[in-house]
PDB file of all heavy atoms in Angstrom:
ATOM      1  N   ARG O 227       1.563   2.469 -48.350  1.00 97.00           N
ATOM      2  CA  ARG O 227       2.545   1.498 -47.782  1.00 97.00           C
ATOM      3  C   ARG O 227       2.641   1.911 -46.300  1.00 97.00           C
ATOM      4  O   ARG O 227       3.246   2.852 -45.960  1.00 97.00           O
ATOM      5  CB  ARG O 227       3.869   1.614 -48.614  1.00 97.00           C
ATOM      6  CG  ARG O 227       5.028   0.706 -47.938  1.00 97.00           C
ATOM      7  CD  ARG O 227       6.339   1.009 -48.626  1.00 97.00           C
ATOM      8  NE  ARG O 227       6.514   2.476 -48.870  1.00 97.00           N
ATOM      9  CZ  ARG O 227       7.040   3.364 -47.993  1.00 97.00           C
ATOM     10  NH1 ARG O 227       7.240   2.981 -46.676  1.00 97.00           N
ATOM     11  NH2 ARG O 227       7.235   4.543 -48.460  1.00 97.00           N
ATOM     12  N   CYS O 228       2.168   1.000 -45.361  1.00 97.00           N
ATOM     13  CA  CYS O 228       2.120   1.368 -43.889  1.00 97.00           C
ATOM     14  C   CYS O 228       3.552   1.129 -43.311  1.00 97.00           C
ATOM     15  O   CYS O 228       4.217   0.090 -43.633  1.00 97.00           O
ATOM     16  CB  CYS O 228       1.185   0.458 -43.204  1.00 97.00           C
ATOM     17  SG  CYS O 228      -0.511   0.684 -43.741  1.00 97.00           S
ATOM     18  N   GLN O 229       3.980   2.185 -42.608  1.00 96.00           N
ATOM     19  CA  GLN O 229       5.200   2.064 -41.849  1.00 96.00           C
ATOM     20  C   GLN O 229       5.198   1.059 -40.829  1.00 96.00           C
ATOM     21  O   GLN O 229       4.254   1.142 -39.788  1.00 96.00           O
ATOM     22  CB  GLN O 229       5.560   3.477 -41.122  1.00 96.00           C
ATOM     23  CG  GLN O 229       6.814   3.591 -40.533  1.00 96.00           C
ATOM     24  CD  GLN O 229       7.101   4.875 -39.924  1.00 96.00           C
ATOM     25  OE1 GLN O 229       6.221   5.736 -39.892  1.00 96.00           O
ATOM     26  NE2 GLN O 229       8.413   5.113 -39.552  1.00 96.00           N
ATOM     27  N   PRO O 230       6.091   0.081 -40.624  1.00 93.00           N
ATOM     28  CA  PRO O 230       5.976  -0.972 -39.651  1.00 93.00           C
ATOM     29  C   PRO O 230       6.100  -0.388 -38.258  1.00 93.00           C
ATOM     30  O   PRO O 230       6.899   0.563 -38.026  1.00 93.00           O
ATOM     31  CB  PRO O 230       7.245  -1.828 -39.998  1.00 93.00           C
ATOM     32  CG  PRO O 230       7.524  -1.623 -41.421  1.00 93.00           C
ATOM     33  CD  PRO O 230       7.139  -0.182 -41.677  1.00 93.00           C
ATOM     34  N   ASP O 231       5.424  -0.996 -37.299  1.00 91.00           N
ATOM     35  CA  ASP O 231       5.404  -0.628 -35.952  1.00 91.00           C
ATOM     36  C   ASP O 231       4.679   0.698 -35.655  1.00 91.00           C
ATOM     37  O   ASP O 231       4.442   0.978 -34.540  1.00 91.00           O
ATOM     38  CB  ASP O 231       6.830  -0.624 -35.393  1.00 91.00           C
ATOM     39  CG  ASP O 231       7.532  -1.867 -35.528  1.00 91.00           C
ATOM     40  OD1 ASP O 231       6.908  -2.939 -35.357  1.00 91.00           O
ATOM     41  OD2 ASP O 231       8.847  -1.824 -35.666  1.00 91.00           O
ATOM     42  N   GLU O 232       4.404   1.561 -36.700  1.00 94.00           N
ATOM     43  CA  GLU O 232       3.782   2.831 -36.510  1.00 94.00           C
ATOM     44  C   GLU O 232       2.400   2.861 -37.009  1.00 94.00           C
ATOM     45  O   GLU O 232       1.393   3.383 -36.269  1.00 94.00           O
ATOM     46  CB  GLU O 232       4.571   3.953 -37.218  1.00 94.00           C
ATOM     47  CG  GLU O 232       5.894   4.247 -36.567  1.00 94.00           C
ATOM     48  CD  GLU O 232       5.749   4.882 -35.215  1.00 94.00           C
ATOM     49  OE1 GLU O 232       4.800   5.728 -35.025  1.00 94.00           O
ATOM     50  OE2 GLU O 232       6.579   4.765 -34.403  1.00 94.00           O
ATOM     51  N   ILE O 233       2.110   2.231 -38.127  1.00 97.00           N
ATOM     52  CA  ILE O 233       0.789   2.168 -38.647  1.00 97.00           C
ATOM     53  C   ILE O 233       0.544   0.820 -38.960  1.00 97.00           C
ATOM     54  O   ILE O 233       1.056   0.188 -39.765  1.00 97.00           O
ATOM     55  CB  ILE O 233       0.836   3.011 -40.086  1.00 97.00           C
ATOM     56  CG1 ILE O 233       1.313   4.444 -39.796  1.00 97.00           C
ATOM     57  CG2 ILE O 233      -0.657   3.054 -40.662  1.00 97.00           C
ATOM     58  CD1 ILE O 233       0.417   5.339 -38.916  1.00 97.00           C
ATOM     59  N   GLU O 234      -0.697   0.405 -38.403  1.00 97.00           N
ATOM     60  CA  GLU O 234      -1.210  -0.950 -38.576  1.00 97.00           C
ATOM     61  C   GLU O 234      -2.155  -1.120 -39.679  1.00 97.00           C
ATOM     62  O   GLU O 234      -2.389  -2.214 -40.236  1.00 97.00           O
ATOM     63  CB  GLU O 234      -1.851  -1.658 -37.320  1.00 97.00           C
ATOM     64  CG  GLU O 234      -3.033  -1.079 -36.798  1.00 97.00           C
ATOM     65  CD  GLU O 234      -3.606  -1.828 -35.609  1.00 97.00           C
ATOM     66  OE1 GLU O 234      -2.604  -2.377 -34.995  1.00 97.00           O
ATOM     67  OE2 GLU O 234      -4.845  -1.666 -35.363  1.00 97.00           O
ATOM     68  N   ASP O 235      -2.702   0.011 -40.212  1.00 97.00           N
ATOM     69  CA  ASP O 235      -3.727  -0.009 -41.275  1.00 97.00           C
ATOM     70  C   ASP O 235      -3.932   1.388 -41.691  1.00 97.00           C
ATOM     71  O   ASP O 235      -4.003   2.484 -40.986  1.00 97.00           O
ATOM     72  CB  ASP O 235      -5.144  -0.649 -40.823  1.00 97.00           C
ATOM     73  CG  ASP O 235      -6.004  -1.028 -41.988  1.00 97.00           C
ATOM     74  OD1 ASP O 235      -5.508  -0.860 -43.071  1.00 97.00           O
ATOM     75  OD2 ASP O 235      -7.181  -1.255 -41.744  1.00 97.00           O
ATOM     76  N   ALA O 236      -4.141   1.630 -42.975  1.00 98.00           N
ATOM     77  CA  ALA O 236      -4.277   2.859 -43.712  1.00 98.00           C
ATOM     78  C   ALA O 236      -5.159   2.613 -44.981  1.00 98.00           C
ATOM     79  O   ALA O 236      -4.855   1.743 -45.739  1.00 98.00           O
ATOM     80  CB  ALA O 236      -3.012   3.559 -43.898  1.00 98.00           C
ATOM     81  N   ARG O 237      -6.254   3.370 -45.159  1.00 97.00           N
ATOM     82  CA  ARG O 237      -7.068   3.222 -46.278  1.00 97.00           C
ATOM     83  C   ARG O 237      -7.641   4.606 -46.701  1.00 97.00           C
ATOM     84  O   ARG O 237      -7.649   5.617 -46.038  1.00 97.00           O
ATOM     85  CB  ARG O 237      -8.247   2.279 -45.908  1.00 97.00           C
ATOM     86  CG  ARG O 237      -7.906   1.009 -45.276  1.00 97.00           C
ATOM     87  CD  ARG O 237      -9.198   0.224 -44.831  1.00 97.00           C
ATOM     88  NE  ARG O 237      -9.047  -0.605 -43.589  1.00 97.00           N
ATOM     89  CZ  ARG O 237     -10.055  -1.224 -43.025  1.00 97.00           C
ATOM     90  NH1 ARG O 237     -11.210  -0.967 -43.514  1.00 97.00           N
ATOM     91  NH2 ARG O 237      -9.824  -2.035 -42.080  1.00 97.00           N
ATOM     92  N   TRP O 238      -8.161   4.395 -47.965  1.00 98.00           N
ATOM     93  CA  TRP O 238      -9.000   5.624 -48.551  1.00 98.00           C
ATOM     94  C   TRP O 238     -10.345   5.253 -48.176  1.00 98.00           C
ATOM     95  O   TRP O 238     -10.958   4.263 -48.355  1.00 98.00           O
ATOM     96  CB  TRP O 238      -8.831   5.686 -50.078  1.00 98.00           C
ATOM     97  CG  TRP O 238      -7.566   6.133 -50.476  1.00 98.00           C
ATOM     98  CD1 TRP O 238      -6.501   5.481 -51.062  1.00 98.00           C
ATOM     99  CD2 TRP O 238      -7.211   7.530 -50.469  1.00 98.00           C
ATOM    100  NE1 TRP O 238      -5.447   6.249 -51.434  1.00 98.00           N
ATOM    101  CE2 TRP O 238      -5.819   7.657 -51.033  1.00 98.00           C
ATOM    102  CE3 TRP O 238      -7.767   8.860 -50.126  1.00 98.00           C
ATOM    103  CZ2 TRP O 238      -5.214   8.798 -51.225  1.00 98.00           C
ATOM    104  CZ3 TRP O 238      -7.031   9.936 -50.232  1.00 98.00           C
ATOM    105  CH2 TRP O 238      -5.708   9.978 -50.696  1.00 98.00           C
ATOM    106  N   PHE O 239     -11.057   6.360 -47.459  1.00 98.00           N
ATOM    107  CA  PHE O 239     -12.436   6.180 -47.211  1.00 98.00           C
ATOM    108  C   PHE O 239     -13.283   7.291 -47.856  1.00 98.00           C
ATOM    109  O   PHE O 239     -12.850   8.414 -47.921  1.00 98.00           O
ATOM    110  CB  PHE O 239     -12.625   6.392 -45.560  1.00 98.00           C
ATOM    111  CG  PHE O 239     -12.112   5.295 -44.773  1.00 98.00           C
ATOM    112  CD1 PHE O 239     -10.749   5.397 -44.395  1.00 98.00           C
ATOM    113  CD2 PHE O 239     -12.818   4.139 -44.433  1.00 98.00           C
ATOM    114  CE1 PHE O 239     -10.274   4.320 -43.517  1.00 98.00           C
ATOM    115  CE2 PHE O 239     -12.312   3.094 -43.640  1.00 98.00           C
ATOM    116  CZ  PHE O 239     -10.983   3.284 -43.228  1.00 98.00           C
ATOM    117  N   HIS O 240     -14.427   6.878 -48.460  1.00 98.00           N
ATOM    118  CA  HIS O 240     -15.483   7.840 -48.917  1.00 98.00           C
ATOM    119  C   HIS O 240     -15.993   8.713 -47.766  1.00 98.00           C
ATOM    120  O   HIS O 240     -16.255   8.087 -46.696  1.00 98.00           O
ATOM    121  CB  HIS O 240     -16.532   7.246 -49.803  1.00 98.00           C
ATOM    122  CG  HIS O 240     -17.190   8.142 -50.625  1.00 98.00           C
ATOM    123  ND1 HIS O 240     -18.275   8.877 -50.083  1.00 98.00           N
ATOM    124  CD2 HIS O 240     -17.214   8.365 -51.967  1.00 98.00           C
ATOM    125  CE1 HIS O 240     -18.682   9.723 -51.109  1.00 98.00           C
ATOM    126  NE2 HIS O 240     -18.261   9.422 -52.184  1.00 98.00           N
ATOM    127  N   LEU O 241     -16.237   9.909 -47.951  1.00 98.00           N
ATOM    128  CA  LEU O 241     -16.764  10.834 -46.884  1.00 98.00           C
ATOM    129  C   LEU O 241     -18.284  10.303 -46.423  1.00 98.00           C
ATOM    130  O   LEU O 241     -18.608  10.653 -45.333  1.00 98.00           O
ATOM    131  CB  LEU O 241     -17.014  12.205 -47.490  1.00 98.00           C
ATOM    132  CG  LEU O 241     -15.625  12.950 -47.705  1.00 98.00           C
ATOM    133  CD1 LEU O 241     -15.784  14.282 -48.389  1.00 98.00           C
ATOM    134  CD2 LEU O 241     -14.933  13.089 -46.287  1.00 98.00           C
ATOM    135  N   ARG O 242     -18.936   9.582 -47.264  1.00 97.00           N
ATOM    136  CA  ARG O 242     -20.207   9.036 -46.916  1.00 97.00           C
ATOM    137  C   ARG O 242     -20.185   7.714 -46.132  1.00 97.00           C
ATOM    138  O   ARG O 242     -21.070   7.178 -45.559  1.00 97.00           O
ATOM    139  CB  ARG O 242     -21.151   8.850 -47.928  1.00 97.00           C
ATOM    140  CG  ARG O 242     -21.519  10.177 -48.680  1.00 97.00           C
ATOM    141  CD  ARG O 242     -22.517   9.990 -49.787  1.00 97.00           C
ATOM    142  NE  ARG O 242     -22.848  11.071 -50.545  1.00 97.00           N
ATOM    143  CZ  ARG O 242     -23.615  12.109 -50.237  1.00 97.00           C
ATOM    144  NH1 ARG O 242     -24.374  12.079 -49.065  1.00 97.00           N
ATOM    145  NH2 ARG O 242     -23.836  13.183 -50.884  1.00 97.00           N
ATOM    146  N   GLU O 243     -18.874   7.202 -46.052  1.00 97.00           N
ATOM    147  CA  GLU O 243     -18.747   5.857 -45.463  1.00 97.00           C
ATOM    148  C   GLU O 243     -17.422   5.797 -44.524  1.00 97.00           C
ATOM    149  O   GLU O 243     -16.463   5.034 -44.764  1.00 97.00           O
ATOM    150  CB  GLU O 243     -18.591   4.676 -46.436  1.00 97.00           C
ATOM    151  CG  GLU O 243     -19.874   4.617 -47.277  1.00 97.00           C
ATOM    152  CD  GLU O 243     -19.576   3.620 -48.494  1.00 97.00           C
ATOM    153  OE1 GLU O 243     -18.560   3.113 -48.634  1.00 97.00           O
ATOM    154  OE2 GLU O 243     -20.749   3.203 -49.078  1.00 97.00           O
ATOM    155  N   LEU O 244     -17.416   6.718 -43.567  1.00 98.00           N
ATOM    156  CA  LEU O 244     -16.217   6.823 -42.643  1.00 98.00           C
ATOM    157  C   LEU O 244     -16.210   5.818 -41.596  1.00 98.00           C
ATOM    158  O   LEU O 244     -17.337   5.488 -41.089  1.00 98.00           O
ATOM    159  CB  LEU O 244     -16.177   8.279 -42.263  1.00 98.00           C
ATOM    160  CG  LEU O 244     -15.959   9.400 -43.248  1.00 98.00           C
ATOM    161  CD1 LEU O 244     -16.140  10.753 -42.494  1.00 98.00           C
ATOM    162  CD2 LEU O 244     -14.712   9.227 -43.811  1.00 98.00           C
TER     163      LEU O 244
END
Side-chain angles (χ1 to χ4, degrees):
R227 172 185 44 78
C228 295
Q229 182 180 14
D231 302 324
E232 288 291 329
I233 304 296
E234 68 176 24
D235 194 5
R237 311 177 206 169
W238 288 104
F239 293 92
H240 193 280
L241 289 170
R242 296 188 186 276
E243 299 177 349
L244 293 174

